Amino acid sequence: MKRTYSKWQKLRQLSIVLLPICVTQLAIVSTGFFNTVMAGQVSEQDLAGVAAGVNLFYPVFVALLGIVSGLTPTISQLYGADKVKKIPNIVRQAFYWSLLLSLLLIGAGYLFVPSIIELMELEPKVAQVMEGYLVAVSFGIVPVFLTAVLRNFIDAHGMTRLTMLITLVTVPLNIGLNYLLMYGVWGLPALGGVGAGVGSAITWTVGLLLTVTAVCRIGSFDHYHLFRHFPAPDFREWKMQLSLGIPIGATIFCESSIFGLVGLLMSAYGTSVMAAHQAAFNYSSVVYVIPMSISMALAILVGFELGAKRPQDAWQYSNLGRLVSLLAVGVIVAVLYTEREMVASLYTRDADVHELLLVFIVYATAMQYADCINAPLQGTLRGCKDVRATFLMAVVSFWVVGLPGGWLLAHQGGMGPYGYWLGLIAGVLFGAVLLMVRLSMLKKKLAKAA
């Protein structure tokens, strides 16, 4: 990354950082898309089982990975301030505490998941697929956490194309393994939905090996000598890193756990509704790649500019990112909405699920318009390392406004499962307003300190 002077230069720099992130995230989300589509083609029960496993596992999983993502603004600010000698120790210490987080997640899963599955009272086949999927995917948790440390280290330097290239290798591998294992091709056992978990675990391990190789061999990073020696754990450094990462992870958990919980609540409306909701959520996740990628790019660029003591440049990047998000999502969602019959057909051949999905897609479309406003604001504030206030706003918008409002609409307003979606949309929009207010306050605070 380098300093920019005009808006066109900033737009070009934003594009250079953003496009590889977008491709990377789209490739990652496509794995979930193909998992959902493949499971739906196996059976309604396999789709529901994978959906239940994802809804239980991913809120905690992505929240803990969110803690690791706190490395990005830290490293990007050090890079912008030309204090690169401090970076290797930060990365090495992050290996230690991220490994601990991954082991805690695995241990908690083996302790609590069986009891949770019993409490859900799922159909026997759905419960079997859910448990098998979660056991299989657990074998890839340690590799993916260590990979996350290196990925944040790479991205914080603006080298997002490297992450993209690694992802473009691993995602097709994941999709191919899932196909082989779910359908039992080439004499392999047909594992159904469980095969998606096995494929993910193998792919995450391969991803770690590729990322380590890249960091050790590429000239932009080999001078850091990250693996030359490992110092003793420095708990003071852990505290500094986790004080930034934990609020980010908690914010992500507030968001993802809401969607996961709503997915579990859908089980009360039957397997068809549960399957249709998961398909709509997956569709929404694919579109969300754009505002999420812009958010990640802004965290890098805003952090870089603030580290170099150029706040006005940081705010220009923020404004550009918000405008790009609104325009890009608006066009794509409008096109997909007009083709919702085709979109629904990709997910299921079941007539009941198809009809339900058409309605869910309407709400998913509205959700994306709300997200394209909210996400860039979050990325800007993360680049500023202003994460605690963002967490509190997420708690209010999702758990005080979104979920209670959705429950009232579903049960008192007579909207059934669609009421939860409307409540979440209201929560996202309310959160966007809070983030705008917070960003305005932060700008004034930094202007006074200048």
Side-chain angles (χ1 to χ4, degrees):
M1 292 184 292
K2 59 184 180 180
R3 184 176 184 180
T4 55
Y5 297 91
S6 69
K7 290 184 179 179
W8 288 111
Q9 288 178 333
K10 285 181 170 58
L11 182 60
R12 183 175 181 274
Q13 180 105 303
L14 174 63
S15 300
I16 290 171
V17 175
L18 170 62
L19 291 178
I21 293 176
C22 195
V23 173
T24 300
Q25 295 304 313
L26 184 60
I28 292 171
V29 170
S30 71
T31 304
F33 168 77
F34 282 104
N35 285 352
T36 303
V37 170
M38 289 179 191
Q41 301 303 320
V42 174
S43 72
E44 183 182 83
Q45 289 75 23
D46 278 271
L47 175 56
V50 171
V54 167
N55 287 328
L56 181 61
F57 170 66
Y58 271 85
V60 180
F61 176 64
V62 299
L64 293 178
L65 283 180
I67 295 175
V68 182
S69 72
L71 291 169
T72 297
T74 298
I75 295 173
S76 65
Q77 288 199 15
L78 289 172
Y79 184 56
D82 198 24
K83 298 178 179 178
V84 295
K85 291 183 179 179
K86 295 183 178 181
I87 293 176
N89 184 58
I90 289 174
V91 175
R92 292 174 186 134
Q93 295 299 324
F95 281 135
Y96 294 146
W97 57 257
S98 64
L99 175 62
L100 179 61
L101 288 177
S102 66
L103 295 175
L104 289 173
L105 177 58
I106 294 170
Y110 280 94
L111 283 174
F112 300 115
V113 165
S115 300
I116 293 172
I117 293 175
E118 285 185 21
L119 291 173
M120 292 176 66
E121 297 181 350
L122 300 169
E123 294 179 17
K125 173 64 174 176
V126 174
Q128 180 185 359
V129 172
M130 178 183 178
E131 183 171 13
Y133 170 82
L134 291 173
V135 169
V137 84
S138 69
F139 287 92
I141 290 176
V142 169
V144 80
F145 270 77
L146 297 178
T147 302
V149 173
L150 292 174
R151 187 179 67 245
N152 282 277
F153 163 73
I154 293 168
D155 287 350
H157 287 76
M159 297 283 289
T160 52
R161 281 181 292 182
L162 176 57
T163 307
M164 177 189 73
L165 293 173
I166 293 172
T167 305
L168 290 178
V169 172
T170 56
V171 166
L173 172 66
N174 197 349
I175 294 170
L177 286 171
N178 290 353
Y179 177 77
L180 295 175
L181 294 167
M182 292 174 77
Y183 296 120
V185 181
W186 295 344
L188 295 171
L191 300 177
V194 177
V198 177
S200 294
I202 295 172
T203 303
W204 288 344
T205 304
V206 173
L208 174 61
L209 296 175
L210 292 175
T211 308
V212 169
T213 301
V215 168
C216 292
R217 296 293 181 88
I218 292 178
S220 300
F221 302 114
D222 61 357
H223 66 280
Y224 283 108
H225 304 298
L226 292 179
F227 301 100
R228 176 166 292 182
H229 71 90
F230 280 87
D234 182 347
F235 296 111
R236 189 176 348 180
E237 183 63 42
W238 288 28
K239 182 179 178 181
M240 292 174 61
Q241 294 179 24
L242 292 172
S243 66
L244 179 63
I246 287 176
I248 294 176
T251 301
I252 294 173
F253 180 75
C254 280
E255 299 171 0
S256 59
S257 62
I258 281 287
F259 291 102
L261 177 57
V262 168
L264 297 176
L265 291 172
M266 291 293 168
S267 62
Y269 297 98
T271 301
S272 294
V273 169
M274 190 176 178
H277 163 81
Q278 177 60 24
F281 176 67
N282 182 261
Y283 157 79
S284 182
S285 298
V286 173
V287 179
Y288 182 62
V289 162
I290 296 171
M292 177 176 63
S293 300
I294 292 171
S295 176
M296 296 170 70
L298 289 178
I300 295 169
L301 292 167
V302 170
F304 177 75
E305 295 295 349
L306 291 179
K309 308 299 182 184
R310 297 189 292 265
Q312 291 305 315
D313 292 68
W315 309 144
Q316 288 179 12
Y317 275 120
S318 177
N319 292 335
L320 274 174
R322 292 160 67 182
L323 179 61
V324 170
S325 177
L326 190 62
L327 292 175
V329 172
V331 171
I332 291 173
V333 167
V335 172
L336 290 176
Y337 179 76
T338 60
E339 299 296 332
R340 58 189 180 279
E341 282 278 357
M342 180 194 70
V343 173
S345 298
L346 290 174
Y347 282 99
T348 184
R349 292 178 292 187
D350 185 280
D352 292 336
V353 176
H354 184 276
E355 290 302 312
L356 289 165
L357 180 53
L358 288 176
V359 182
F360 275 119
I361 286 176
V362 175
Y363 291 94
T365 300
M367 175 68 76
Q368 290 318 305
Y369 280 117
D371 277 327
C372 78
I373 300 170
N374 187 298
L377 292 164
Q378 288 195 31
T380 299
L381 289 170
R382 286 176 188 168
C384 300
K385 292 188 176 181
D386 187 55
V387 293
R388 293 181 182 176
T390 308
F391 164 61
L392 294 175
M393 292 172 189
V395 171
V396 172
S397 59
F398 285 103
W399 289 92
V400 177
V401 176
L403 185 61
W407 187 90
L408 288 172
L409 290 169
H411 295 276
Q412 304 299 321
M415 294 187 66
Y418 309 118
Y420 286 107
W421 277 80
L422 191 56
L424 292 177
I425 292 166
V428 172
L429 288 173
F430 184 76
V433 173
L434 294 179
L435 291 171
M436 288 180 191
V437 173
R438 178 60 183 175
L439 181 57
S440 178
M441 293 170 59
L442 188 63
K443 287 180 179 180
K444 293 177 181 177
K445 179 180 178 181
L446 290 176
K448 290 180 180 179

